[in-house]
Amino acid sequence: MTSATRPVDRPRPSPAILRQGLRVLWTGIRQQKKVFSVAVGGAALWALATVATAWAIGYVTEHAVTPAVESGEVTSGGLWMIFLVLFGVLLFNMAGVVLRRVAASIAGFNLQALYRRRVTRQYLRLPLSWHHSHPSGQLLSNAHADIEAAWQIFNPLPMAIGVLVMLVIAGTQMVVVDPFLALIGFLVFPGLFAANLVFQRVMSPRITRAQQLRAEVAEVAHESFEAGMLVKAMGREQEETTRFGGVTNDLRNSLINVGRTRGMFEPVIEAIPVLGTLAVLAVGTARVASGDLSAADVVEIAYLFSILAFPVRALGWVLAEIPRSVVGFRRVDSVLQAKGSMEFGEGDLPREGAAHSRSVGVSYAFAEPAERAVLGAEDPLEDPGPSVPVGPQRAMAIRDVTLDVPAGRTVALVGPTGSGKSTLTSLVLRLIDPDSGTVTLDGIDLRSVRKGEVPEVGTLVAQQTFMFDDPVRDNVTLGAELPDDVVWEALRTARADGFVSGMPGALDAVIGERGGNLSGGQRQRIALARAIVRRPRLLVLDDATSAVDPSIEQAILGGLRETGDGMTVLVVAYRMATIQLADHIVYLEQGQVVDQGTHAELLVSCEGYGDLVNAYAREAAERAAVAADEETV
Amino acid sequence: MTTTTPTAHDDEHEAINSEIGGSHELSTWATLKRGLELSPELVRGLWVTVLLALFATLGKVLIPFVVQQATDNGILADGGPDVDFVLRAVLLAAGAIIFTGFAQYVVNVRLFKAAESGLATLRIRAFRHIHDLSVLTQSTERRGGLVARVTNDVDTISMFVQFGGIMLLVSTAQMLVATVLMVIYSPILAGVVYLCVIPLVVLVTKFQPMLGRAYGAVRLRVGDLLGAVSESIVGAVTIRAYGVEERTEARIDGAIERHRAAAIKAQIRSVIAFTSGQAFGGITTAIVLVVGTVLAANDQMTLGQLLAFLFLVNLFTQPVQQATEIFNELQNAVAGWRRVIGVIDTPADVSDPGTDGVRLPRGPITVEFEDIAFSYPGGDRVLQDVNLTFEPRTRIAVVGETGSGKTTLAKLLTRLMDPSEGRVLIDGVDLRDIAFDSLRRRIVMVPQEGFLFDESLMENIRFGRPEAADEDIELAMTELGLDPWLSGLPLGLATQVGQRGESLSAGERQLVAIARAYLADPDLLVLDEATSAVDPATEVRIQRALEGLTRGRTSVAIAHRLSTAEAADVVVVVDRGHIVAVGPHEELVDAGGVYTRMHASWAAQQQG
């Protein structure tokens, strides 16, 4: 089997996690050099000011408080000195904290925003087949929770760096006072490192699992809310809640597991420096007793340790965040590295007159959707692996089809449900690429033209309409600068002007993502207007009027005829009237062209075609016959 | 039987709020209270955790004390360092660290358990409630926004409920202890410390609402962000077909940027709040030292007492600073909480009467529409003066132009929405009084755009009757005449349908939706243009199979293919929200009304 089936939560050796963690940090720092430098500068200022605070209290005690107490006389100068020295150090400290915290969060949020842009660019760039194998909820979770997980580490990071500064200052001071005692103190670091190593080893598989479950919770929620109406209509609220409850409880247990590890790690990380302080005290006292060291030196070193005890925890926080950060980044990176995007050429397509579409020998098979992709299952940093799993039985949707749609003509695609008509329309406009064969427009291979060129020339109205959460106007123009009368004209051709003008706000009426208040037929007509307004050279209608009443459909098609000079039309249709508008009919069955010709020709030559288009008439005749029988009886 | 009067229903309708609430009106305190009420796990056994946390904190306070004692009375002892004393103190402190460290571990685990259990309950509850909201209410928010409410918004709360709440209690305890000690050492200096706290308290109190608004804005932006991202995923085909990637990018970038700006703004406010806590700590120390110097110079305290008091000030200001930080976290949590509570407390306008509801026995169904009127919130009437009776065992076809109100009629009949006026009765009982489990068992609707789950065909069909065996499903497919279609799929019923069923065509998705309803075996089947994308030959086959199913039951089919109307017992013609004709096809087709026109147009199309 390929490596695609490797388990997701295979524990990985922790030095690798630490190394990857540092790499993730470095990646982030590199991209936020300036802001991050400010944060580190602030952290350094804060570190210096914190050490200076201890010094300042000692200084004013010695030079102002003690003389005043001993002499019994208070001078206003002395009191001012106490206040101003302490206040001055405080100001530095505060400035350091503000710089550190604000800059750190700006760096973190900048990175989040940057990666959100990159990830969503990928969503828009990657082919539809990629989308089919990646659940929407997972992708949503990736764009939010995973990116947050990857970069939240930037909040504690500068403080940890400040702590390192403090450690350097304190360490130098300790070495100056007594190298031997300092060495004992430094034993703390291997201790911290060892604890961290164990922690990473236990933590990273747990975090990986939690982050995957987080995405699954989003996935189930997204799917279930999309299915909202069905869930209601079937009364399956409880079953859906049980399904959601299942993943939610898995996530809960997984997070509790994470908490167990973290809950253990924190006290240990806190205890190690304190134990170090105690060791210094014990050994130091012995050295004072043996006359190797003065009592004041031990007090100073012990004091230095005690200031560090709290901030050293910031190091712990950063270390504790690393597995989460690595896992989040890995999941994000797997989207950024995803292969299989559409390649575009440099060519242009002509802009005048009706287009000639020709597909020669095209075949297309859907990727096996049973191979559900799991983000970050593969470690893209080390092992790219095959990105397209090849299953044994890929369903062939289209097999060796040759379709010619001459310029200015109307061609109808007819065939039973599931015969590959929609796939063929997607191929004609290069929403997908064929596995074999070529698709051309005006003789130019679609793969050789620039990105964005095909939609300029050809437009698809799909079976299922998608409405943007926008006003009617924007749903028609999709952002193009078009005067309102042009929009109205398109709506009129699509016979949508009537109900749109009746909506509160007319063109400004917001439809909402799900087009909630519109009927299926109304949504289809807005989708049609969306296509018409672009005046495409090739219009592909994939059963785009299925929810529209016959009389209105007739009017729309009539309108298209009038305005449709210089337009080639490929139409998927079942209705006799629609089919008869076509100059040429191509009949598909099981992904292959069975026959083609005019309506009259096909009625004679093709049995399947006749059965299909005459189904209603035959049905009506049979009913009439049965009714007649009943009457005669 | 039914105790609910029509007036009560009217009152309910006035309470309809089609928007999902954000619960902005809830105060921080009320939000907390409601939040804890919704997640009782958060406070269950909390007192044990609090005691353990106090113990752990005691250890943390004890250690600097021991170190200080070891220094003063050990190393700096009169007559040279007292090694034994120091060793004893060090061992004592080491023991205390291990004990309190263990206590801290137990506290952490207990908190994680309580927090995650409480939040899981909250998620599930919000999820369930979103499904209980009417389709109308659901459609007022984008999918991404709804998802955010059960995912990220809940995640925002976790930080506070894991540590914040308990730290607040512990900090309060520490402040109390420090206060008592300060008063014992020097009541005057204790007063000075408290005078210094006043400005901080005023500042923090004033600042909280600002902070709350800032975090609230962040939550809103997260919802928008997910909405924009989900549009790019769900609308993938449209975006590609129209080459509007750049526009979509710009929209997403806008949402990302607004989120970034809001997040930074909130963060800056929280830094200001934290810094004011820090300023309080520093200034208090400075003022205490100044006032203490004056007191000590006037022999009202000794230098030793003053230095000891500084230690106590630290013991007091540290938890105060921590508290300001926790208040930040609290506002963040409250912002998330408000959005989740906002969903849960949005009244379900189409609600299940539950155990009080009527359960109807199975059998053929009579439907009555009584003076029905319906308008969407803030919109015009889409249905008016609808009075209809569907006799049991009849097949009804509802026809009319697009947007005439046919689908609204179907939604009212299946109680996906409630009428603005009038009543829908099933076997004489108001739909609003029938328990959902009974209602959904008896009435099933097949919508035009049937949704498919990312599973196999088999599992999607089983959704109609979860307890159905594989054989039942295979049989259903055969009965519906769908075997030829299935045989074209290499994996048959095991075929995976992909996201939203997108590996299938719209027509195929409709076949699955019909099979699902067929399997559910309801007493009243409502088909809302359920075969609009299916090829005619298959449609005729299905129609015949459904006739077998609907024989002896009531069925309502909304259709624009008038072949359906021809085959029905009764045709109902809807025009601009009014019922304009009711009767058998044979009568209506020659009556010269709307139906005559529609049928002529349809017939003309059939001949071409």
Side-chain angles (χ1 to χ4, degrees):
Chain A
M1 223 20 227
T2 62
S3 52
T5 53
R6 259 178 10 198
V8 193
D9 46 2
R10 186 167 62 94
R12 308 182 69 85
S14 53
I17 283 281
L18 194 61
R19 206 171 61 235
Q20 287 171 24
L22 293 176
R23 209 180 307 171
V24 172
L25 287 180
W26 180 239
T27 307
I29 291 169
R30 244 185 11 228
Q31 295 175 89
Q32 287 293 311
K33 277 194 212 98
K34 280 188 197 154
V35 187
F36 191 74
S37 309
V38 173
V40 171
L45 184 61
W46 161 77
L48 285 170
T50 303
V51 177
T53 308
W55 166 84
I57 291 181
Y59 180 84
V60 296
T61 309
E62 196 178 330
H63 292 96
V65 181
T66 315
V69 174
E70 279 172 0
S71 68
E73 270 177 45
V74 185
T75 62
S76 64
L79 293 181
W80 274 115
M81 178 186 137
I82 295 172
F83 185 80
L84 289 179
V85 168
L86 291 183
F87 190 68
V89 176
L90 175 67
L91 280 185
F92 278 106
N93 198 324
M94 280 166 57
V97 168
V98 169
L99 279 181
R100 184 193 83 209
R101 284 198 161 202
V102 170
S105 75
I106 290 178
F109 288 126
N110 281 353
L111 282 169
Q112 289 190 20
L114 181 69
Y115 275 80
R116 283 197 180 115
R117 283 197 291 274
R118 287 189 184 166
V119 159
T120 48
R121 289 285 182 290
Q122 276 294 86
Y123 292 170
L124 289 170
R125 197 179 66 81
L126 286 165
L128 290 174
S129 56
W130 187 86
H131 277 273
H132 285 162
S133 59
H134 289 81
S136 322
Q138 292 251 0
L139 298 185
L140 269 191
S141 183
N142 191 246
H144 194 264
D146 286 339
I147 286 174
E148 198 173 78
W151 300 120
Q152 220 159 38
I153 196 167
F154 271 74
N155 282 330
L157 184 61
M159 176 159 176
I161 292 175
V163 171
L164 288 178
V165 172
M166 249 190 230
L167 283 176
V168 170
I169 299 171
T172 317
Q173 238 172 319
M174 282 189 253
V175 171
V176 169
V177 173
D178 184 39
F180 180 70
L181 213 47
L183 196 67
I184 293 192
F186 291 161
L187 283 177
V188 163
F189 295 105
L192 284 175
F193 186 74
N196 185 57
L197 215 63
V198 174
F199 169 71
Q200 309 281 4
R201 190 186 299 268
V202 181
M203 195 64 157
S204 69
R206 293 186 174 186
I207 288 270
T208 307
R209 178 150 174 74
Q211 209 63 12
Q212 175 58 26
L213 283 168
R214 215 181 265 288
E216 277 172 28
V217 166
E219 177 190 333
V220 173
H222 196 271
E223 188 178 59
S224 192
F225 294 158
E226 270 193 279
M229 169 120 104
L230 172 69
V231 170
K232 257 181 215 308
M234 292 273 178
R236 292 282 175 275
E237 289 91 344
Q238 193 46 50
E239 284 79 356
E240 282 299 284
T241 308
T242 309
R243 182 162 84 105
F244 181 76
V247 279
T248 301
N249 287 334
D250 284 350
L251 173 65
R252 177 196 66 196
N253 295 341
S254 158
L255 287 173
I256 290 175
N257 259 338
V258 166
R260 246 186 253 283
T261 316
R262 227 185 150 138
M264 172 76 91
F265 181 65
E266 279 178 5
V268 169
I269 281 289
E270 273 178 48
I272 289 172
V274 180
L275 290 173
T277 315
L278 295 175
V280 166
L281 266 183
V283 176
T285 315
R287 278 171 71 78
V288 172
S290 66
D292 292 331
L293 208 62
S294 79
D297 290 343
V298 180
V299 174
E300 188 175 348
I301 290 186
Y303 182 68
L304 284 170
F305 258 104
S306 69
I307 319 180
L308 289 178
F310 180 73
V312 159
R313 297 204 301 189
L315 280 183
W317 296 333
V318 168
L319 294 174
E321 275 288 311
I322 281 184
R324 188 162 165 251
S325 176
V326 167
V327 170
F329 188 79
R330 194 185 290 164
R331 291 171 60 87
V332 171
D333 204 49
S334 75
V335 172
L336 296 181
Q337 303 296 330
K339 305 272 179 344
S341 73
M342 256 186 185
E343 298 300 324
F344 292 92
E346 293 296 319
D348 292 319
L349 289 170
R351 292 300 160 89
E352 291 301 318
H356 174 201
S357 164
R358 188 170 164 78
S359 313
V360 181
V362 291
S363 297
Y364 182 84
F366 280 107
E368 187 57 68
E371 293 272 0
R372 187 97 76 78
V374 175
L375 292 175
E378 290 296 303
D379 182 352
L381 296 168
E382 292 178 353
D383 179 15
S387 61
V388 181
V390 180
Q393 285 180 295
R394 293 169 71 201
M396 284 291 260
I398 285 289
R399 214 172 316 175
D400 194 23
V401 167
T402 295
L403 174 72
D404 192 67
V405 190
R409 309 297 287 276
T410 298
V411 172
L413 274 182
V414 180
T417 304
S419 55
K421 304 181 296 293
S422 294
T423 309
L424 194 53
T425 59
S426 298
L427 285 164
V428 162
L429 289 174
R430 211 192 166 206
L431 286 174
I432 48 177
D433 275 331
D435 297 331
S436 61
T438 52
V439 182
T440 62
L441 258 180
D442 297 330
I444 301 166
D445 190 325
L446 292 184
R447 277 173 292 207
S448 72
V449 301
R450 283 189 295 113
K451 186 174 194 302
E453 192 69 0
V454 177
E456 283 289 323
V457 171
T459 297
L460 170 79
V461 186
Q463 284 168 314
Q464 205 147 12
T465 52
F466 180 81
M467 293 289 126
F468 293 89
D469 188 12
D470 272 331
V472 173
R473 181 189 291 103
D474 293 2
N475 264 296
V476 174
T477 63
L478 295 183
E481 292 287 331
L482 292 171
D484 280 1
D485 53 330
V486 173
V487 175
W488 278 118
E489 181 59 42
L491 287 169
R492 203 167 301 128
T493 310
R495 297 298 182 273
D497 52 333
F499 72 87
V500 169
S501 59
M503 286 160 74
L507 287 184
D508 292 314
V510 174
I511 295 180
E513 190 183 47
R514 306 176 200 197
N517 297 354
L518 296 182
S519 73
Q522 288 172 328
R523 285 202 299 272
Q524 277 194 340
R525 282 185 276 168
I526 290 183
L528 272 169
R530 184 190 282 170
I532 294 165
V533 84
R534 299 167 83 91
R535 305 202 148 272
R537 299 176 55 228
L538 170 64
L539 177 64
V540 180
L541 302 174
D542 183 5
D543 200 19
T545 48
S546 60
V548 175
D549 314 301
S551 55
I552 294 181
E553 187 194 30
Q554 280 304 96
I556 293 171
L557 295 172
L560 275 182
R561 284 243 126 164
E562 283 165 28
T563 59
D565 292 338
M567 196 192 285
T568 307
V569 179
L570 176 63
V571 56
V572 173
Y574 296 126
R575 292 183 192 167
M576 188 79 92
T578 321
I579 293 169
Q580 290 199 338
L581 288 175
D583 306 303
H584 187 77
I585 296 157
V586 176
Y587 180 70
L588 286 177
E589 242 174 48
Q590 307 249 350
Q592 283 175 302
V593 175
V594 175
D595 205 348
Q596 50 188 307
T598 62
H599 176 63
E601 286 165 4
L602 285 180
L603 277 181
V604 178
S605 63
C606 181
E607 194 189 340
Y609 177 78
D611 283 351
L612 195 76
V613 298
N614 285 327
Y616 295 143
R618 214 172 40 243
E619 170 77 356
E622 278 173 26
R623 274 185 203 288
V626 170
D629 276 356
E630 279 168 3
E631 268 174 37
T632 48
V633 172
Chain B
M1 192 169 72
T2 79
T3 50
T4 339
T5 63
T7 347
H9 287 312
D10 289 343
D11 288 345
E12 265 172 40
H13 293 129
E14 278 176 15
I16 285 181
N17 175 7
S18 65
E19 293 266 327
I20 295 173
S23 274
H24 290 299
E25 68 281 2
L26 274 190
S27 69
T28 301
W29 184 242
T31 307
L32 258 177
K33 215 177 120 203
R34 181 85 180 108
L36 293 179
E37 197 177 287
L38 289 168
S39 306
E41 293 91 341
L42 292 178
V43 284
R44 204 169 285 155
L46 186 66
W47 64 274
V48 177
T49 316
V50 170
L51 282 183
L52 281 169
L54 285 175
F55 179 65
T57 312
L58 204 65
K60 276 179 208 153
V61 176
L62 187 73
I63 286 151
F65 179 72
V66 171
V67 172
Q68 195 216 352
Q69 286 298 306
T71 313
D72 289 356
N73 302 329
I75 303 173
L76 302 174
D78 300 336
D82 183 344
V83 180
D84 279 353
F85 179 81
V86 173
L87 278 182
R88 272 201 308 277
V90 164
L91 282 178
L92 178 72
I97 288 172
I98 290 166
F99 262 110
T100 56
F102 183 72
Q104 186 63 53
Y105 165 71
V106 176
V107 167
N108 288 349
V109 171
R110 286 181 66 88
L111 286 173
F112 265 110
K113 268 191 185 160
E116 293 308 334
S117 307
L119 296 185
T121 306
L122 188 68
R123 267 189 231 275
I124 294 170
R125 185 132 180 208
F127 175 89
R128 172 62 202 240
H129 195 78
I130 289 175
H131 273 306
D132 285 341
L133 293 172
S134 71
V135 281
L136 266 184
T137 315
Q138 283 177 355
S139 71
T140 58
E141 186 154 322
R142 291 195 276 184
R143 302 168 181 91
L146 287 176
V147 173
R149 288 185 193 251
V150 296
T151 55
N152 314 98
D153 287 337
V154 177
D155 294 340
T156 314
I157 308 168
S158 72
M159 191 80 135
F160 174 76
V161 293
Q162 275 167 14
F163 294 107
I166 195 115
M167 287 307 286
L168 211 56
L169 294 174
V170 170
S171 298
T172 313
Q174 195 179 329
M175 280 188 277
L176 285 175
V177 172
T179 305
V180 171
L181 290 175
M182 285 193 302
V183 171
I184 294 173
Y185 267 79
S186 165
I188 300 175
L189 284 184
V192 169
V193 171
Y194 266 77
L195 278 179
C196 292
V197 174
I198 292 170
L200 181 71
V201 171
V202 172
L203 208 70
V204 167
T205 321
K206 280 228 181 271
F207 216 71
Q208 286 296 301
M210 275 171 73
L211 206 55
R213 278 197 298 279
Y215 281 122
V218 175
R219 296 327 308 159
L220 212 61
R221 294 297 169 221
V222 169
D224 285 353
L225 174 66
L226 292 185
V229 174
S230 108
E231 196 167 76
S232 77
I233 298 166
V234 182
V237 174
T238 308
I239 290 164
R240 279 161 184 72
Y242 286 80
V244 287
E245 286 91 346
E246 276 175 31
R247 173 174 183 263
T248 314
E249 271 172 20
R251 285 157 73 94
I252 296 174
D253 287 358
I256 291 174
E257 182 50 35
R258 282 190 293 277
H259 169 256
R260 191 188 70 96
I264 290 176
K265 189 174 166 190
Q267 190 65 27
I268 288 176
R269 288 190 184 185
S270 106
V271 171
I272 293 172
F274 175 78
T275 315
S276 56
Q278 201 196 359
F280 152 75
I283 291 172
T284 306
T285 307
I287 291 177
V288 163
L289 206 51
V290 168
V291 177
T293 304
V294 175
L295 290 176
N298 293 317
D299 288 333
Q300 286 180 307
M301 66 192 306
T302 66
L303 183 60
Q305 280 174 329
L306 175 56
L307 294 180
F309 194 89
L310 278 185
F311 177 75
L312 292 179
V313 168
N314 196 33
L315 204 63
F316 180 80
T317 56
Q318 207 190 342
V320 171
Q321 285 186 43
Q322 200 150 42
T324 55
E325 185 105 86
I326 295 166
F327 275 125
N328 290 347
E329 200 50 62
L330 170 66
Q331 286 303 330
N332 195 7
V334 162
W337 237 330
R338 279 197 184 115
R339 279 178 48 90
V340 185
I341 292 171
V343 162
I344 293 176
D345 289 348
T346 299
D349 44 3
V350 179
S351 58
D352 185 359
T355 45
D356 301 336
V358 180
R359 283 185 173 67
L360 296 174
R362 298 210 50 174
I365 272 181
T366 313
V367 180
E368 288 160 85
F369 286 85
E370 239 181 53
D371 301 322
I372 292 291
F374 184 83
S375 43
Y376 287 99
D380 290 337
R381 280 278 153 92
V382 288
L383 275 183
Q384 198 150 13
D385 302 327
V386 175
N387 283 291
L388 281 171
T389 304
F390 299 158
E391 298 296 341
R393 299 189 182 84
T394 47
R395 286 166 300 163
I396 289 107
V398 180
V399 301
E401 293 194 344
T402 316
S404 57
K406 296 176 304 221
T407 297
T408 307
L409 206 64
K411 285 182 179 167
L412 293 176
L413 173 55
T414 49
R415 212 179 163 217
L416 290 174
M417 305 188 301
D418 282 334
S420 313
E421 284 168 29
R423 304 192 292 169
V424 183
L425 306 168
I426 295 289
D427 295 344
V429 182
D430 191 322
L431 272 187
R432 286 171 288 208
D433 297 328
I434 303 174
F436 272 18
D437 56 358
S438 173
L439 182 69
R440 300 299 181 212
R441 186 79 196 84
R442 303 202 66 206
I443 305 180
V444 164
M445 171 163 121
V446 185
Q448 202 171 68
E449 290 177 4
F451 185 88
L452 265 61
F453 294 91
D454 184 10
E455 286 177 46
S456 67
L457 278 178
M458 180 80 92
E459 291 314 310
N460 268 292
I461 295 166
R462 207 193 305 275
F463 193 80
R465 181 149 57 91
E467 66 278 10
D470 288 2
E471 296 77 51
D472 298 338
I473 294 169
E474 283 159 13
L475 184 66
M477 296 306 274
T478 309
E479 284 172 357
L480 284 169
L482 295 178
D483 282 339
W485 169 60
L486 275 184
S487 66
L489 302 169
L491 295 176
L493 281 170
T495 304
Q496 293 286 325
V497 304
Q499 285 287 297
R500 295 172 288 276
E502 279 171 4
S503 300
L504 303 180
S505 72
E508 290 174 305
R509 287 198 288 271
Q510 288 190 337
L511 297 183
V512 178
I514 287 179
R516 189 150 60 191
Y518 185 83
L519 194 68
D521 187 27
D523 293 326
L524 172 63
L525 183 66
V526 182
L527 300 161
D528 182 9
E529 312 218 357
T531 50
S532 60
V534 174
D535 74 73
T538 308
E539 189 188 18
V540 167
R541 269 206 308 280
I542 289 175
Q543 209 101 50
R544 292 212 174 133
L546 286 179
E547 267 171 42
L549 166 79
T550 53
R551 192 159 295 137
R553 303 163 203 240
T554 318
S555 75
V556 177
I558 290 168
H560 55 244
R561 290 186 184 177
L562 296 193
S563 55
T564 313
E566 287 172 6
D569 299 320
V570 177
V571 178
V572 174
V573 186
V574 190
D575 189 37
R576 289 162 215 221
H578 292 269
I579 306 296
V580 291
V582 181
H585 164 74
E586 295 76 25
E587 271 176 30
L588 296 184
V589 76
D590 299 323
V594 177
Y595 187 72
T596 310
R597 275 206 310 284
M598 286 179 72
H599 192 266
S601 156
W602 155 261
Q605 282 201 349
Q606 294 319 297
Q607 273 101 47

